[in-house]
Amino acid sequence: MKKRKMTPAKYIASSFTAVILLGAFLLSLPACLNSGVDLSPVDAFFTATSAVCITGLATVDPLYAFSPLGRTILALLIQIGGLGVASVGVGLIMLSGKKINMRARRLVKEGLNYPHF
């Protein structure tokens, strides 16, 4: 059986999905919430999705619902969404000192919708 390679579009979509799910999980942790706040999993998922997709929508007031740790995670999700998951990944690869192969370059090109790289 042949192993299929993911297309850049599928890779970017699955990366965004993974970041959203991780963000929703982190935002629902008690350490990320202010005392007395009960955040439903749907609200955590919506907030994480909105942050990564940089729409700015929220079902709760982030200032009062999230602790400083929760607000930091929310800010990181916004940054990851704004920069693009593929761009962040390539940046981390570059910081580690490894060379960037053509596949990674193609992913960034697709993610940024850039015609020439």
Side-chain angles (χ1 to χ4, degrees):
M1 189 173 244
K2 273 189 170 180
K3 185 178 178 183
R4 289 188 189 201
K5 289 186 179 181
M6 288 178 65
T7 63
K10 286 182 181 178
Y11 184 80
I12 291 169
S14 63
S15 298
F16 267 90
T17 302
V19 170
I20 289 168
L21 291 174
L22 178 64
F25 171 74
L26 292 174
L27 288 176
S28 64
L29 293 175
C32 292
L33 299 172
N34 284 328
S35 61
V37 175
D38 185 29
L39 189 69
S40 74
V42 172
D43 287 336
F45 181 75
F46 183 86
T47 303
T49 303
S50 177
V52 172
C53 296
I54 57 171
T55 60
L57 302 173
T59 57
V60 295
D61 188 350
L63 180 63
Y64 298 110
F66 297 111
S67 68
L69 176 62
R71 291 191 301 268
T72 301
I73 290 171
L74 194 59
L76 287 173
L77 291 172
I78 293 168
Q79 290 297 319
I80 290 171
L83 292 174
V85 175
S87 299
V88 171
V90 170
L92 292 174
I93 291 170
M94 288 176 64
L95 285 175
S96 70
K98 294 183 180 179
K99 292 192 176 198
I100 300 170
N101 60 19
M102 289 304 292
R103 183 172 185 262
R105 289 177 190 214
R106 197 171 87 219
L107 281 172
V108 173
K109 179 182 167 186
E110 288 280 330
L112 298 175
N113 199 20
Y114 194 70
H116 298 51
F117 198 80

